[in-house]
Amino acid sequence: MSKKRKTQRHKGLSNGKTQRRSHSKRTTTAVDYLLPFGKPDGDTFQSMINPEYLLARPGAGEMRPTLASQLCQVLITAQNLFGERDHSYTFLGFEFVNGAPRLLRQHDGKYLIIQLYLNAMHNPIQAYSQIAHEGVHMLSPRHDGRVSVMEEGLAYFFSNWYILQYFGVMPPQSELKSYDIALELVDKLMSKDAHGIKKMRQEEPTISLFTKELVLKYYPAISERTAEKLVAPFDKG
């Protein structure tokens, strides 16, 4: 999993700020958010979002390309691999933002929204990859939103594996070194024992609260230095 195909990151994006309503200035619309990605011919879009993300046949029970159905498959798969999610958190839905994908906490922190980057609006591989990544963060969210190197690396590892497993391609990769380092550290663990995360969560359910001692208990072959790096706070850099 450590050999990855690099993709160019979007740069120079607009800040997405909405102008105040006035007679002289129009309000920023959803179309304006897409301008950095190239405005199509005409003044409007046929569809702002891939219709398959939202449209389904009445009563359809099989797995579908909708965002909700894909999240279901992501959570089922992630829980089978890494242990049950924290059911005290309530998922509210999806948003598209002109910024990095993330798990957004609402109200008292117990309500969760998955925010997807604008580049996922018409690109299913982008969307499902981002959902898979955030799905791992949904297993054991911290109220303060802080994550460890291990959790971020695990989310990156899982999103790569999930897209390759179900769609046969590698998803776009981050160009930030911090993510590569986190991925490589987790890849070492998974190659030694793919069920180690699940075992550790039976003792400490919150991934980002794993201690060096707990990691070494289930992965005694790794060095103390490696264990320390894994449980350290993740810094995107």
Side-chain angles (χ1 to χ4, degrees):
M1 293 297 291
S2 59
K3 293 183 179 180
K4 308 178 295 302
R5 185 176 61 197
K6 298 291 184 180
T7 59
Q8 186 176 5
R9 298 173 63 221
H10 292 291
K11 297 181 180 179
L13 302 180
S14 62
N15 58 21
K17 292 181 179 178
T18 302
Q19 299 173 347
R20 294 182 179 178
R21 290 181 181 271
S22 69
H23 295 292
S24 60
K25 295 182 180 179
R26 69 179 181 85
T27 301
T28 301
T29 68
V31 173
D32 294 309
Y33 283 91
L34 293 184
L35 290 180
F37 302 92
K39 186 177 180 181
D41 294 336
D43 296 326
T44 60
F45 289 93
Q46 264 192 326
S47 174
M48 289 293 298
I49 301 174
N50 185 340
E52 289 190 337
Y53 291 169
L54 303 172
L55 301 181
R57 298 189 309 276
E62 72 280 4
M63 298 307 299
R64 303 173 301 287
T66 62
L67 299 181
S69 186
Q70 287 297 315
L71 177 61
C72 177
Q73 182 166 266
V74 161
L75 289 177
I76 289 171
T77 307
Q79 288 178 109
N80 285 338
L81 291 172
F82 309 128
E84 198 74 10
R85 71 181 179 89
D86 186 342
H87 291 276
S88 67
Y89 290 84
T90 300
F91 178 66
L92 299 176
F94 298 93
E95 295 177 349
F96 288 90
V97 296
N98 192 4
R102 65 170 178 163
L103 194 62
L104 180 67
R105 291 154 184 80
Q106 294 276 265
H107 191 49
D108 59 357
K110 286 293 186 177
Y111 296 87
L112 304 175
I113 292 173
I114 290 181
Q115 291 189 327
L116 305 176
Y117 189 32
L118 289 181
N119 64 3
M121 292 183 76
H122 279 277
N123 187 328
I125 294 301
Q126 289 274 15
Y128 303 153
S129 172
Q130 292 172 24
I131 289 173
H133 187 108
E134 301 308 324
V136 169
H137 291 312
M138 288 180 67
L139 294 179
S140 58
R142 285 183 61 173
H143 188 78
D144 58 11
R146 297 177 183 175
V147 297
S148 65
V149 171
M150 177 178 286
E151 181 173 338
E152 201 63 53
L154 186 66
Y156 196 1
F157 177 95
F158 177 73
S159 65
N160 283 343
W161 177 88
Y162 180 85
I163 296 301
L164 190 60
Q165 177 78 10
Y166 288 100
F167 300 96
V169 297
M170 280 292 288
Q173 303 292 294
S174 170
E175 289 187 349
L176 293 178
K177 186 176 180 181
S178 55
Y179 283 94
D180 287 338
I181 292 173
L183 174 62
E184 290 171 5
L185 288 170
V186 169
D187 191 55
K188 291 179 181 178
L189 296 188
M190 299 303 290
S191 64
K192 296 180 183 300
D193 183 0
H195 303 289
I197 305 296
K198 191 172 186 177
K199 295 173 184 175
M200 287 190 285
R201 290 193 65 218
Q202 292 176 351
E203 293 192 35
E204 172 49 71
T206 304
I207 298 171
S208 285
L209 293 181
F210 286 176
T211 63
K212 178 185 72 173
E213 290 74 23
L214 181 62
V215 175
L216 289 172
K217 176 180 178 180
Y218 288 94
Y219 292 95
I222 69 172
S223 67
E224 287 194 22
R225 179 59 180 154
T226 297
E228 289 173 354
K229 291 180 180 179
L230 282 162
V231 301
F234 179 74
D235 182 6
K236 184 183 297 186

